[in-house]
Amino acid sequence: MSEGGWSAWPAPAKLNLFLRITGRRPDGYHRLQTVFQLLDWGDTVKLRLRDDGRVRRESGQGYAVPEAEDLVVRAAKLLKSESKTPLGVDIVVEKRIPLGGGFGGGSSDAATVLVALDHLWGTGLGEARLAVLGLALGADVPVFVRGRSAWAEGVGELLTPLDLPPASYLLVDSGVSVPTAELFQAPDLTRDAPPATISDFVSGPSLGNAFEPVLRRRSEAVATALDTLAQFGPAALTGTGGGCFARFDARADAEAALARLPAGMRAWVADGVDLSPLHRALSAA
């Protein structure tokens, strides 16, 4: 896994198999319920240790995030500050997950930096403390730190690991990215859905995504992606981005559906996993 001092670490994508808002906390944050499905596909984060204490992002290819604002840089600096390590790191992110699509790319990249550097720096904070640090970076970071598909509540940080049925997913990037804060302020967003239970999710029909009707009304590209996927079965929005997906029991069926999509539609097939590829890599390190 190491070449020229570099080590490579997976940063998997995720899907929200449903997403509902059940209320708002006194601090203004919304109470959410969702199921995070981790995928066997995503970005790769490459790390090379430095002994001068500097944290550098070696390359920003694939996304135009300023280095100081990049979650991977912020994650490394947060871990460095918390652990008081004298070490530094060079970081390269090989992006595959679309920005702003709701597939969790930025959060997953940050979680991979936290988990991998805790190992490489020998800081030994462990999963629980890293998840707390991750929450300071973003609500989706803890699920990637924990590395297990999960039922989530709170702002998304209260996690119950789930063993989900094997499935393959056809993912479509509509190309639409709307700031999450803007979507949460949308007047037509349902903010008071009745709370669901894990048994509701397991046994009932799809619980839906509260942002899907909002984005469908605002974006023709999102509506087109959902309608195109719907010819193969139930189609859904993931997270608060413009990414959409359809679920298949067999990968061959997902691949066949991919081949039938209109030319130019940006799409992939990925398998769901209960244990993150990052944690498998950590176990092998």
Side-chain angles (χ1 to χ4, degrees), residues 31-44:
R31 293 188 180 93
L32 308 178
Q33 289 185 313
T34 191
V35 165
F36 288 113
Q37 166 74 79
L38 300 181
L39 301 176
D40 68 349
W41 167 85
D43 296 340
T44 300

Side-chain angles (χ1 to χ4, degrees), residues 216-230:
R216 189 184 264 279
R217 281 190 285 270
R218 280 165 173 69
S219 169
E220 184 178 345
V222 170
T224 297
L226 287 166
D227 291 343
T228 300
L229 283 172

Side-chain angles (χ1 to χ4, degrees), residues 250-271:
R251 186 178 179 97
D253 293 337
E255 298 279 7
L258 174 64
R260 292 172 55 194
L261 291 179
M265 186 166 275
R266 196 171 182 219
W268 306 262
V269 169
D271 292 334

Side-chain angles (χ1 to χ4, degrees), residues 21-32 135 139 153-158 184 191:
I21 304 170
T22 59
R24 185 178 287 193
R25 306 190 316 189
D27 62 8
Y29 282 95
H30 290 81
R31 293 188 180 93
L32 308 178
L135 184 59
E153 297 186 272
V155 296
E157 87 287 10
L158 303 175
F184 271 110
R191 297 179 176 81

Side-chain angles (χ1 to χ4, degrees), residues 139-154:
D140 287 353
V141 178
V143 72
F144 292 111
V145 169
R146 295 289 190 178
R148 289 154 190 87
S149 291
W151 173 275
E153 297 186 272

Side-chain angles (χ1 to χ4, degrees), residues 154-243:
V155 296
E157 87 287 10
L158 303 175
L159 301 167
T160 303
L162 290 180
D163 292 325
L164 297 170
S168 294
Y169 296 90
L170 176 55
L171 318 176
V172 171
D173 174 26
S174 69
V176 174
S177 177
V178 180
T180 300
E182 180 182 321
L183 282 176
F184 271 110
Q185 297 306 314
D188 49 343
L189 179 66
T190 300
R191 297 179 176 81
D192 56 356
T197 64
I198 292 177
S199 62
D200 291 333
F201 168 73
V202 171
S203 61
S206 171
L207 296 173
N209 183 322
F211 296 95
E212 186 174 314
V214 178
L215 269 168
R216 189 184 264 279
R217 281 190 285 270
R218 280 165 173 69
S219 169
E220 184 178 345
V222 170
T224 297
L226 287 166
D227 291 343
T228 300
L229 283 172
Q231 67 184 298
F232 308 114
L237 190 80
T238 180
T240 58

Side-chain angles (χ1 to χ4, degrees), residues 13 30 41 44 48 54 68 74 78 90 95 99 111 125 134 139 160 167 174 181 185 202 230 247 263 265:
H30 290 81
W41 167 85
T44 300
R48 181 174 61 188
R54 292 182 63 197
R74 290 174 56 199
L78 184 59
D90 292 324
K95 290 297 294 180
L99 282 175
L125 268 65
T160 303
S174 69
Q185 297 306 314
V202 171
R247 181 188 182 281
M265 186 166 275

